[in-house]
Amino acid sequence: MEPVRHLGLVGLGRMGAGMRERLRRAGLTVTGYDRNPDVSDVASLEDLVAALPETGRAVWVMVPAGAITQGVVDELAELLSPGDVVVDGGNSRYTDDQLHAAALAKRGIGYVDVGVSGGVWGLENGYALMAGGDAAQVEALLPVFDALRPEGPRDESFVHAGEVGAGHYAKMVHNGIEYGVMQAYAEGYELLEAKDIVKNVPGTLRAWSRGTVIRSWLLDLLVKALDEDPALAAIDDWVDDSGEGRWTVDEAIENAVPLPVITAALFARFASRQPDSPALKAVAALRQQFGGHAVKPAGS
Amino acid sequence: MEPVRHLGLVGLGRMGAGMRERLRRAGLTVTGYDRNPDVSDVASLEDLVAALPETGRAVWVMVPAGAITQGVVDELAELLSPGDVVVDGGNSRYTDDQLHAAALAKRGIGYVDVGVSGGVWGLENGYALMAGGDAAQVEALLPVFDALRPEGPRDESFVHAGEVGAGHYAKMVHNGIEYGVMQAYAEGYELLEAKDIVKNVPGTLRAWSRGTVIRSWLLDLLVKALDEDPALAAIDDWVDDSGEGRWTVDEAIENAVPLPVITAALFARFASRQPDSPALKAVAALRQQFGGHAVKPAGS
Amino acid sequence: MEPVRHLGLVGLGRMGAGMRERLRRAGLTVTGYDRNPDVSDVASLEDLVAALPETGRAVWVMVPAGAITQGVVDELAELLSPGDVVVDGGNSRYTDDQLHAAALAKRGIGYVDVGVSGGVWGLENGYALMAGGDAAQVEALLPVFDALRPEGPRDESFVHAGEVGAGHYAKMVHNGIEYGVMQAYAEGYELLEAKDIVKNVPGTLRAWSRGTVIRSWLLDLLVKALDEDPALAAIDDWVDDSGEGRWTVDEAIENAVPLPVITAALFARFASRQPDSPALKAVAALRQQFGGHAVKPAGS
Amino acid sequence: MEPVRHLGLVGLGRMGAGMRERLRRAGLTVTGYDRNPDVSDVASLEDLVAALPETGRAVWVMVPAGAITQGVVDELAELLSPGDVVVDGGNSRYTDDQLHAAALAKRGIGYVDVGVSGGVWGLENGYALMAGGDAAQVEALLPVFDALRPEGPRDESFVHAGEVGAGHYAKMVHNGIEYGVMQAYAEGYELLEAKDIVKNVPGTLRAWSRGTVIRSWLLDLLVKALDEDPALAAIDDWVDDSGEGRWTVDEAIENAVPLPVITAALFARFASRQPDSPALKAVAALRQQFGGHAVKPAGS
């Protein structure tokens, strides 16, 4: 497969649009398609495929994981030809990658899964990339990967992690780690806030920015958040989760790997979303039964 | 020391009054003192000591742990004589026992610490007892222990667990286990409640009462609580903790013993009492910073 | 459907053989089939079906969950007639129940899933039973359930928990709770063992048998185990898990229910089986990197 | 108090020697004392004090926390004069700071506690500093702090965190966070290692160095460790803990702050050091009792 210098890109939401922009800045040709005609370069997937080179086409899918990604992959299976390659850069579960790759392989179409990290900062800073799939296909996509990733040595922001699925698997683990790291900082923040002798909590976190063992980009962001709202007074303690954390724990269970920290971080999010906890109601009821301990009436 | 058949009992609250009653039913003589003259047998600690035998006196202290227990022990140190024994049946920390025993020993007064389990059910069912201290003193108190404990073999509800402090240490661990066991049932209850195909949660717990691996008195009490309020609708998810759980985790830290389950149960109680979680606010703030994820406004 | 008084029973291992015996003691007719001719009443599944009444047959499957149960259910689908019912009393995952019920329903055959607790003690003490499925089919099986379960009120050892799958779901949660409760006792045991002032650890656990808040059958078993081996010197700290604990945590993830205690108990088992922990090697490596802290050479 | 430009420094171990060097490079005068005459500038603490200015002396103590720090502080209390200040830059517990400050205050001597982060990299990169104490004393020490800390804005590597003790409290929390963050990376590493489709684990971690949400200095160090030993084959999974992690959890207990992640990380270290787990032996024994599950013989 020839090096890819003209990429088809499906999905031009926040992430996709940023990636198109970054690729073009690097001199690559990108034809983008989105259901929203205001941002789309072409009118349809058919038009997108038609705009690409006749052979060795590469189409990067950047749409929500699950049914929507499935639909796009199914359509591309019809539109593409043997020797082309589909890249899934969304947040698909790695088991979906294995199904997609198998289905496309029957038609001679290649498949590479890419985990992408960088969030809203990726356009400026670059996106870190973890790829899974066939070595030749990954090799052909290097011009694209090099354009997307941050400045610096390739191996500090890109890896061919392994077989099909390994890219999303690596990204899933990345996000699981992210849960744990964020909760660790958050717990430290809470303990500082709880202690009377500590008078300057935002300043303490800021002072960890340089020279400490725990300096990190997430710490920088927490300092920034405290700059904007020093007591986080405007923010509710309600934390969503977007799937990768759950999958990480599912994989821990599947592989009998103990993940106490990452799992505790996930459970803290679950608990944050409960208006009240049935489990703790049961504990309160038990204490009342055996010890006559007072319970609080519901809603108090 | 002669077997104790006439006991001084300081503190006639819920527990102390029940114990006096149970001891008297068993034929022992009890002189009780309480600050509340309506329930007290004598007008003062001096009168209590004066009412006891001239030698080999035993005074059982059953008052709140900490400063109040300390005050009673200090007073008894002045009033008692060499060869007498003080029994602390409250919920003192075992390190306090060691201080009390050392202070009393200087005056020739013995000291036995007793962890008492049974709660409000103890008067009828009997109290389980864990004692720490000198073997001869523990031996002399056996008539008291036998009257207080439930029917059945002595070693199924009484133990001389070890040195001074070991009785309260054993009770502390008992309570730590209690935290973990209660939380385990509570988590299972919550998962059943969350699952649509399960239509009869209280009935499921009741069906575990006989023949199952997890049958227990705490399960019986949870069944009873669900009888009274099938969805625990009247009870808030606010759970206090009374100290022994915290001490158990402190001991885990001190002795480098991993206690993940008991500690998780304690932390669940801490979290249950927070109107909102500073840590989860910080996590929400971080997600907004790096991913542009929406946060909920405070108080929502 | 008529009340079932003649049951077909497939699988005569430890559990199945005990159940056949208990059912016969109660006066029911049981025709049992096992691949092992030494214990089987008939030579084949065909013979088993032929031995049952002509209508309203009930066949209880008591074989390992997964492929083996699947195979038996598939065979029974061919052999049974509309109006018959298959009962799965093994440890199937509740999602398998839903598939089995749907497949059998196409042929007019009913399906009831039953979670069974009691272990090796069930023959003598009776088995606790949690059923899922259609009310009329569950009703028809009551003679069987009543014969299997312990003495006492029916609702203290039997429940119709809900729809198909609810019986195994309830049993799965039962086992999840079991993990947490066992770990709670085990942690308390370890802390007592670690403390120098506690001289009689087995005696302390035995003294919790009556009158305490934490008295339970599992505690009785731990006391029994310590009777047989007071320091558990002959037992390795290697703990298997048989699936239901993992499924419980999977369900917690699926339903966003925080289960910190049950999950910690599961992870403790995973860790118990690791010859060494890659995660802790990584932590040791990190401490060496930033702090110059010594590491131990591998295998030390 | 005048700005400090001549510092007395007690303790010239790895950290103290590095700090002396860094201070001197910045143009400050340092008189160092160590029990080891090979590295010491003076022969005794008396000589050290004599070498300092006549008023407004500042002596930075950089010796092991606990009894040794206590001894040095006690000696300095005798040698210094009103208006002087003692700085404790070691890893003292914040409650010790409060005792030290009170004792020195009786003699008119000031006290500032400073948490120092940076480890073996501090000499080159600079040390991050968290100070607790009186504002005027902290102000006078700014020349010292500015020389020690990394390049860049002062508030990104230095904070006056609060009252006496707040500096070490902040450092304690820093270290607690460090436990959680390290364990999060380590768990992710282990899960990657366990997954067959992932072929390049060290490369995956390296690819997280730039552009990812979880980029950090600790990640860089883990990449470096894997460079040196790609499977960590030479390192045992035995992880020590140096106190601050335990104190962090103690503070969580004291202040009723749930710290599930940091505590899980601490317990993982405890477990890493156990040749076998009494708790898991008990769980294995229980499973054998109720289910007839096989146990492994000890030592297997």
Side-chain angles (χ1 to χ4, degrees), chain B residues 130-168:
Chain B
M130 298 136 252
D134 177 74
Q137 293 165 19
V138 169
E139 175 92 10
L141 287 158
L142 281 178
V144 174
F145 297 145
D146 283 341
L148 288 173
R149 66 179 181 76
E151 298 287 302
R154 180 187 284 160
D155 66 356
E156 295 186 3
S157 55
F158 168 79
V159 68
H160 179 197
E163 300 173 6
V164 163
H168 281 135

mmCIF file of all heavy atoms in Angstrom, chain B residues 130-168:
data_model
loop_
_atom_site.group_PDB
_atom_site.id
_atom_site.type_symbol
_atom_site.label_atom_id
_atom_site.label_comp_id
_atom_site.label_asym_id
_atom_site.label_seq_id
_atom_site.Cartn_x
_atom_site.Cartn_y
_atom_site.Cartn_z
ATOM 1 N N MET B 130 -15.825 -10.302 75.430
ATOM 2 C CA MET B 130 -14.418 -10.546 75.134
ATOM 3 C C MET B 130 -13.595 -9.816 76.187
ATOM 4 O O MET B 130 -13.692 -8.602 76.292
ATOM 5 C CB MET B 130 -14.067 -9.973 73.753
ATOM 6 C CG MET B 130 -14.842 -10.616 72.606
ATOM 7 S SD MET B 130 -15.463 -9.365 71.384
ATOM 8 C CE MET B 130 -17.234 -9.393 71.747
ATOM 9 N N ALA B 131 -12.819 -10.557 76.961
ATOM 10 C CA ALA B 131 -12.107 -9.954 78.084
ATOM 11 C C ALA B 131 -10.602 -9.898 77.844
ATOM 12 O O ALA B 131 -10.026 -10.794 77.222
ATOM 13 C CB ALA B 131 -12.383 -10.743 79.356
ATOM 14 N N GLY B 132 -9.987 -8.835 78.380
ATOM 15 C CA GLY B 132 -8.539 -8.716 78.358
ATOM 16 C C GLY B 132 -8.023 -8.430 79.750
ATOM 17 O O GLY B 132 -8.660 -7.674 80.496
ATOM 18 N N GLY B 133 -6.901 -9.032 80.128
ATOM 19 C CA GLY B 133 -6.332 -8.722 81.440
ATOM 20 C C GLY B 133 -5.714 -9.942 82.089
ATOM 21 O O GLY B 133 -5.435 -10.951 81.426
ATOM 22 N N ASP B 134 -5.510 -9.824 83.375
ATOM 23 C CA ASP B 134 -4.856 -10.856 84.166
ATOM 24 C C ASP B 134 -5.775 -12.066 84.337
ATOM 25 O O ASP B 134 -6.979 -11.915 84.603
ATOM 26 C CB ASP B 134 -4.517 -10.254 85.537
ATOM 27 C CG ASP B 134 -3.907 -11.256 86.466
ATOM 28 O OD1 ASP B 134 -2.723 -11.600 86.272
ATOM 29 O OD2 ASP B 134 -4.648 -11.737 87.357
ATOM 30 N N ALA B 135 -5.200 -13.260 84.214
ATOM 31 C CA ALA B 135 -6.021 -14.482 84.236
ATOM 32 C C ALA B 135 -6.778 -14.641 85.549
ATOM 33 O O ALA B 135 -7.956 -15.034 85.564
ATOM 34 C CB ALA B 135 -5.136 -15.712 83.991
ATOM 35 N N ALA B 136 -6.144 -14.330 86.689
ATOM 36 C CA ALA B 136 -6.805 -14.529 87.985
ATOM 37 C C ALA B 136 -7.991 -13.581 88.129
ATOM 38 O O ALA B 136 -9.049 -13.954 88.651
ATOM 39 C CB ALA B 136 -5.807 -14.311 89.127
ATOM 40 N N GLN B 137 -7.827 -12.362 87.654
ATOM 41 C CA GLN B 137 -8.930 -11.400 87.743
ATOM 42 C C GLN B 137 -10.081 -11.804 86.818
ATOM 43 O O GLN B 137 -11.257 -11.704 87.192
ATOM 44 C CB GLN B 137 -8.419 -9.991 87.407
ATOM 45 C CG GLN B 137 -7.440 -9.461 88.457
ATOM 46 C CD GLN B 137 -6.652 -8.257 87.976
ATOM 47 O OE1 GLN B 137 -7.043 -7.579 87.025
ATOM 48 N NE2 GLN B 137 -5.533 -7.983 88.629
ATOM 49 N N VAL B 138 -9.722 -12.235 85.608
ATOM 50 C CA VAL B 138 -10.757 -12.688 84.681
ATOM 51 C C VAL B 138 -11.506 -13.875 85.286
ATOM 52 O O VAL B 138 -12.748 -13.945 85.244
ATOM 53 C CB VAL B 138 -10.131 -13.053 83.319
ATOM 54 C CG1 VAL B 138 -11.132 -13.769 82.420
ATOM 55 C CG2 VAL B 138 -9.597 -11.800 82.631
ATOM 56 N N GLU B 139 -10.755 -14.793 85.886
ATOM 57 C CA GLU B 139 -11.347 -15.976 86.526
ATOM 58 C C GLU B 139 -12.351 -15.582 87.605
ATOM 59 O O GLU B 139 -13.460 -16.130 87.682
ATOM 60 C CB GLU B 139 -10.200 -16.819 87.132
ATOM 61 C CG GLU B 139 -10.627 -18.013 87.945
ATOM 62 C CD GLU B 139 -10.706 -19.279 87.102
ATOM 63 O OE1 GLU B 139 -10.236 -19.236 85.945
ATOM 64 O OE2 GLU B 139 -11.252 -20.282 87.583
ATOM 65 N N ALA B 140 -11.964 -14.604 88.416
ATOM 66 C CA ALA B 140 -12.850 -14.192 89.514
ATOM 67 C C ALA B 140 -14.149 -13.593 89.000
ATOM 68 O O ALA B 140 -15.182 -13.632 89.680
ATOM 69 C CB ALA B 140 -12.117 -13.179 90.410
ATOM 70 N N LEU B 141 -14.105 -13.045 87.811
ATOM 71 C CA LEU B 141 -15.298 -12.394 87.253
ATOM 72 C C LEU B 141 -16.207 -13.371 86.503
ATOM 73 O O LEU B 141 -17.258 -12.970 85.988
ATOM 74 C CB LEU B 141 -14.866 -11.260 86.308
ATOM 75 C CG LEU B 141 -14.295 -10.015 87.018
ATOM 76 C CD1 LEU B 141 -13.429 -9.211 86.060
ATOM 77 C CD2 LEU B 141 -15.437 -9.146 87.564
ATOM 78 N N LEU B 142 -15.842 -14.654 86.444
ATOM 79 C CA LEU B 142 -16.628 -15.603 85.648
ATOM 80 C C LEU B 142 -18.101 -15.661 86.046
ATOM 81 O O LEU B 142 -18.969 -15.779 85.163
ATOM 82 C CB LEU B 142 -15.988 -16.997 85.697
ATOM 83 C CG LEU B 142 -14.780 -17.183 84.766
ATOM 84 C CD1 LEU B 142 -14.183 -18.587 84.933
ATOM 85 C CD2 LEU B 142 -15.171 -16.965 83.305
ATOM 86 N N PRO B 143 -18.431 -15.577 87.342
ATOM 87 C CA PRO B 143 -19.872 -15.587 87.669
ATOM 88 C C PRO B 143 -20.628 -14.435 86.990
ATOM 89 O O PRO B 143 -21.769 -14.607 86.558
ATOM 90 C CB PRO B 143 -19.883 -15.434 89.195
ATOM 91 C CG PRO B 143 -18.563 -15.965 89.636
ATOM 92 C CD PRO B 143 -17.582 -15.602 88.541
ATOM 93 N N VAL B 144 -19.977 -13.293 86.888
ATOM 94 C CA VAL B 144 -20.600 -12.150 86.214
ATOM 95 C C VAL B 144 -20.715 -12.427 84.717
ATOM 96 O O VAL B 144 -21.779 -12.236 84.118
ATOM 97 C CB VAL B 144 -19.772 -10.873 86.472
ATOM 98 C CG1 VAL B 144 -20.327 -9.702 85.652
ATOM 99 C CG2 VAL B 144 -19.725 -10.558 87.952
ATOM 100 N N PHE B 145 -19.626 -12.883 84.129
ATOM 101 C CA PHE B 145 -19.635 -13.161 82.682
ATOM 102 C C PHE B 145 -20.702 -14.218 82.360
ATOM 103 O O PHE B 145 -21.446 -14.093 81.388
ATOM 104 C CB PHE B 145 -18.258 -13.639 82.214
ATOM 105 C CG PHE B 145 -17.163 -12.620 82.388
ATOM 106 C CD1 PHE B 145 -15.862 -13.022 82.723
ATOM 107 C CD2 PHE B 145 -17.401 -11.252 82.230
ATOM 108 C CE1 PHE B 145 -14.838 -12.094 82.858
ATOM 109 C CE2 PHE B 145 -16.376 -10.317 82.378
ATOM 110 C CZ PHE B 145 -15.094 -10.737 82.698
ATOM 111 N N ASP B 146 -20.777 -15.258 83.196
ATOM 112 C CA ASP B 146 -21.729 -16.346 82.919
ATOM 113 C C ASP B 146 -23.174 -15.860 83.009
ATOM 114 O O ASP B 146 -24.047 -16.358 82.293
ATOM 115 C CB ASP B 146 -21.493 -17.514 83.889
ATOM 116 C CG ASP B 146 -20.278 -18.346 83.485
ATOM 117 O OD1 ASP B 146 -19.845 -18.255 82.317
ATOM 118 O OD2 ASP B 146 -19.759 -19.088 84.336
ATOM 119 N N ALA B 147 -23.408 -14.910 83.885
ATOM 120 C CA ALA B 147 -24.776 -14.392 84.006
ATOM 121 C C ALA B 147 -25.143 -13.506 82.829
ATOM 122 O O ALA B 147 -26.298 -13.458 82.406
ATOM 123 C CB ALA B 147 -24.906 -13.610 85.316
ATOM 124 N N LEU B 148 -24.172 -12.806 82.317
ATOM 125 C CA LEU B 148 -24.453 -11.862 81.234
ATOM 126 C C LEU B 148 -24.578 -12.540 79.862
ATOM 127 O O LEU B 148 -25.356 -12.111 79.015
ATOM 128 C CB LEU B 148 -23.338 -10.803 81.143
ATOM 129 C CG LEU B 148 -23.308 -9.765 82.263
ATOM 130 C CD1 LEU B 148 -22.060 -8.891 82.122
ATOM 131 C CD2 LEU B 148 -24.574 -8.894 82.240
ATOM 132 N N ARG B 149 -23.830 -13.581 79.655
ATOM 133 C CA ARG B 149 -23.730 -14.134 78.306
ATOM 134 C C ARG B 149 -24.936 -15.027 77.986
ATOM 135 O O ARG B 149 -25.667 -15.429 78.893
ATOM 136 C CB ARG B 149 -22.409 -14.893 78.152
ATOM 137 C CG ARG B 149 -22.309 -16.114 79.001
ATOM 138 C CD ARG B 149 -20.991 -16.853 78.815
ATOM 139 N NE ARG B 149 -20.991 -18.038 79.663
ATOM 140 C CZ ARG B 149 -21.668 -19.143 79.385
ATOM 141 N NH1 ARG B 149 -22.393 -19.234 78.300
ATOM 142 N NH2 ARG B 149 -21.635 -20.171 80.217
ATOM 143 N N PRO B 150 -25.121 -15.323 76.709
ATOM 144 C CA PRO B 150 -26.265 -16.147 76.303
ATOM 145 C C PRO B 150 -26.144 -17.568 76.823
ATOM 146 O O PRO B 150 -25.068 -18.023 77.227
ATOM 147 C CB PRO B 150 -26.177 -16.155 74.765
ATOM 148 C CG PRO B 150 -25.313 -15.006 74.400
ATOM 149 C CD PRO B 150 -24.353 -14.828 75.546
ATOM 150 N N GLU B 151 -27.251 -18.282 76.799
ATOM 151 C CA GLU B 151 -27.254 -19.733 77.042
ATOM 152 C C GLU B 151 -26.251 -20.415 76.117
ATOM 153 O O GLU B 151 -25.954 -19.915 75.048
ATOM 154 C CB GLU B 151 -28.641 -20.310 76.706
ATOM 155 C CG GLU B 151 -29.781 -19.776 77.532
ATOM 156 C CD GLU B 151 -29.735 -20.336 78.933
ATOM 157 O OE1 GLU B 151 -29.766 -21.569 79.080
ATOM 158 O OE2 GLU B 151 -29.631 -19.518 79.882
ATOM 159 N N GLY B 152 -25.819 -21.586 76.531
ATOM 160 C CA GLY B 152 -24.944 -22.378 75.666
ATOM 161 C C GLY B 152 -23.548 -22.467 76.255
ATOM 162 O O GLY B 152 -23.262 -21.912 77.317
ATOM 163 N N PRO B 153 -22.681 -23.186 75.546
ATOM 164 C CA PRO B 153 -21.307 -23.359 76.063
ATOM 165 C C PRO B 153 -20.630 -22.013 76.273
ATOM 166 O O PRO B 153 -20.783 -21.104 75.452
ATOM 167 C CB PRO B 153 -20.616 -24.150 74.949
ATOM 168 C CG PRO B 153 -21.715 -24.796 74.177
ATOM 169 C CD PRO B 153 -22.893 -23.887 74.275
ATOM 170 N N ARG B 154 -19.889 -21.905 77.365
ATOM 171 C CA ARG B 154 -19.244 -20.634 77.708
ATOM 172 C C ARG B 154 -18.382 -20.112 76.568
ATOM 173 O O ARG B 154 -18.383 -18.938 76.256
ATOM 174 C CB ARG B 154 -18.397 -20.802 78.961
ATOM 175 C CG ARG B 154 -17.694 -19.516 79.372
ATOM 176 C CD ARG B 154 -16.717 -19.763 80.528
ATOM 177 N NE ARG B 154 -17.412 -19.915 81.795
ATOM 178 C CZ ARG B 154 -16.871 -20.513 82.859
ATOM 179 N NH1 ARG B 154 -15.662 -21.046 82.774
ATOM 180 N NH2 ARG B 154 -17.560 -20.597 83.982
ATOM 181 N N ASP B 155 -17.630 -21.024 75.930
ATOM 182 C CA ASP B 155 -16.660 -20.540 74.934
ATOM 183 C C ASP B 155 -17.304 -20.088 73.628
ATOM 184 O O ASP B 155 -16.603 -19.611 72.740
ATOM 185 C CB ASP B 155 -15.554 -21.575 74.683
ATOM 186 C CG ASP B 155 -16.066 -22.844 74.024
ATOM 187 O OD1 ASP B 155 -17.302 -22.958 73.818
ATOM 188 O OD2 ASP B 155 -15.240 -23.717 73.734
ATOM 189 N N GLU B 156 -18.619 -20.217 73.513
ATOM 190 C CA GLU B 156 -19.277 -19.700 72.312
ATOM 191 C C GLU B 156 -19.772 -18.258 72.473
ATOM 192 O O GLU B 156 -20.318 -17.676 71.537
ATOM 193 C CB GLU B 156 -20.423 -20.637 71.907
ATOM 194 C CG GLU B 156 -19.895 -22.004 71.491
ATOM 195 C CD GLU B 156 -20.972 -22.925 70.942
ATOM 196 O OE1 GLU B 156 -22.129 -22.492 70.828
ATOM 197 O OE2 GLU B 156 -20.628 -24.088 70.617
ATOM 198 N N SER B 157 -19.609 -17.713 73.669
ATOM 199 C CA SER B 157 -20.010 -16.318 73.861
ATOM 200 C C SER B 157 -19.079 -15.573 74.810
ATOM 201 O O SER B 157 -19.353 -14.448 75.214
ATOM 202 C CB SER B 157 -21.446 -16.238 74.378
ATOM 203 O OG SER B 157 -21.581 -17.005 75.551
ATOM 204 N N PHE B 158 -17.990 -16.213 75.198
ATOM 205 C CA PHE B 158 -17.023 -15.561 76.087
ATOM 206 C C PHE B 158 -15.621 -16.019 75.715
ATOM 207 O O PHE B 158 -15.395 -17.186 75.420
ATOM 208 C CB PHE B 158 -17.293 -15.928 77.558
ATOM 209 C CG PHE B 158 -16.161 -15.517 78.457
ATOM 210 C CD1 PHE B 158 -16.047 -14.192 78.865
ATOM 211 C CD2 PHE B 158 -15.183 -16.433 78.841
ATOM 212 C CE1 PHE B 158 -14.978 -13.798 79.661
ATOM 213 C CE2 PHE B 158 -14.112 -16.034 79.637
ATOM 214 C CZ PHE B 158 -14.011 -14.719 80.047
ATOM 215 N N VAL B 159 -14.688 -15.066 75.786
ATOM 216 C CA VAL B 159 -13.285 -15.433 75.603
ATOM 217 C C VAL B 159 -12.409 -14.531 76.456
ATOM 218 O O VAL B 159 -12.708 -13.349 76.641
ATOM 219 C CB VAL B 159 -12.858 -15.323 74.121
ATOM 220 C CG1 VAL B 159 -12.846 -13.866 73.646
ATOM 221 C CG2 VAL B 159 -11.480 -15.956 73.894
ATOM 222 N N HIS B 160 -11.390 -15.120 77.036
ATOM 223 C CA HIS B 160 -10.301 -14.331 77.589
ATOM 224 C C HIS B 160 -9.303 -14.165 76.435
ATOM 225 O O HIS B 160 -8.516 -15.053 76.160
ATOM 226 C CB HIS B 160 -9.678 -15.041 78.791
ATOM 227 C CG HIS B 160 -8.533 -14.264 79.384
ATOM 228 N ND1 HIS B 160 -7.618 -14.828 80.221
ATOM 229 C CD2 HIS B 160 -8.185 -12.957 79.261
ATOM 230 C CE1 HIS B 160 -6.720 -13.903 80.579
ATOM 231 N NE2 HIS B 160 -7.044 -12.763 80.010
ATOM 232 N N ALA B 161 -9.388 -13.011 75.774
ATOM 233 C CA ALA B 161 -8.723 -12.865 74.480
ATOM 234 C C ALA B 161 -7.224 -12.625 74.597
ATOM 235 O O ALA B 161 -6.475 -12.930 73.677
ATOM 236 C CB ALA B 161 -9.358 -11.716 73.694
ATOM 237 N N GLY B 162 -6.788 -12.069 75.739
ATOM 238 C CA GLY B 162 -5.359 -11.793 75.866
ATOM 239 C C GLY B 162 -5.094 -10.785 76.957
ATOM 240 O O GLY B 162 -5.845 -10.682 77.939
ATOM 241 N N GLU B 163 -4.034 -10.038 76.767
ATOM 242 C CA GLU B 163 -3.592 -9.062 77.771
ATOM 243 C C GLU B 163 -4.577 -7.895 77.891
ATOM 244 O O GLU B 163 -5.523 -7.794 77.120
ATOM 245 C CB GLU B 163 -2.224 -8.511 77.352
ATOM 246 C CG GLU B 163 -1.163 -9.586 77.245
ATOM 247 C CD GLU B 163 0.137 -9.045 76.661
ATOM 248 O OE1 GLU B 163 0.236 -7.811 76.456
ATOM 249 O OE2 GLU B 163 1.035 -9.856 76.406
ATOM 250 N N VAL B 164 -4.296 -7.011 78.848
ATOM 251 C CA VAL B 164 -5.116 -5.806 78.989
ATOM 252 C C VAL B 164 -5.240 -5.125 77.629
ATOM 253 O O VAL B 164 -4.247 -4.929 76.930
ATOM 254 C CB VAL B 164 -4.488 -4.831 80.005
ATOM 255 C CG1 VAL B 164 -5.095 -3.428 79.845
ATOM 256 C CG2 VAL B 164 -4.700 -5.333 81.428
ATOM 257 N N GLY B 165 -6.436 -4.786 77.241
ATOM 258 C CA GLY B 165 -6.706 -4.158 75.953
ATOM 259 C C GLY B 165 -7.237 -5.142 74.931
ATOM 260 O O GLY B 165 -7.922 -4.738 73.986
ATOM 261 N N ALA B 166 -6.933 -6.411 75.115
ATOM 262 C CA ALA B 166 -7.319 -7.402 74.097
ATOM 263 C C ALA B 166 -8.831 -7.571 74.008
ATOM 264 O O ALA B 166 -9.362 -7.913 72.942
ATOM 265 C CB ALA B 166 -6.653 -8.744 74.389
ATOM 266 N N GLY B 167 -9.536 -7.335 75.105
ATOM 267 C CA GLY B 167 -10.993 -7.443 75.063
ATOM 268 C C GLY B 167 -11.597 -6.369 74.170
ATOM 269 O O GLY B 167 -12.419 -6.657 73.288
ATOM 270 N N HIS B 168 -11.167 -5.142 74.404
ATOM 271 C CA HIS B 168 -11.680 -4.071 73.544
ATOM 272 C C HIS B 168 -11.130 -4.169 72.120
ATOM 273 O O HIS B 168 -11.793 -3.752 71.165
ATOM 274 C CB HIS B 168 -11.362 -2.699 74.151
ATOM 275 C CG HIS B 168 -12.292 -2.332 75.260
ATOM 276 N ND1 HIS B 168 -11.869 -1.801 76.456
ATOM 277 C CD2 HIS B 168 -13.650 -2.457 75.359
ATOM 278 C CE1 HIS B 168 -12.924 -1.586 77.233
ATOM 279 N NE2 HIS B 168 -14.010 -1.979 76.595
#
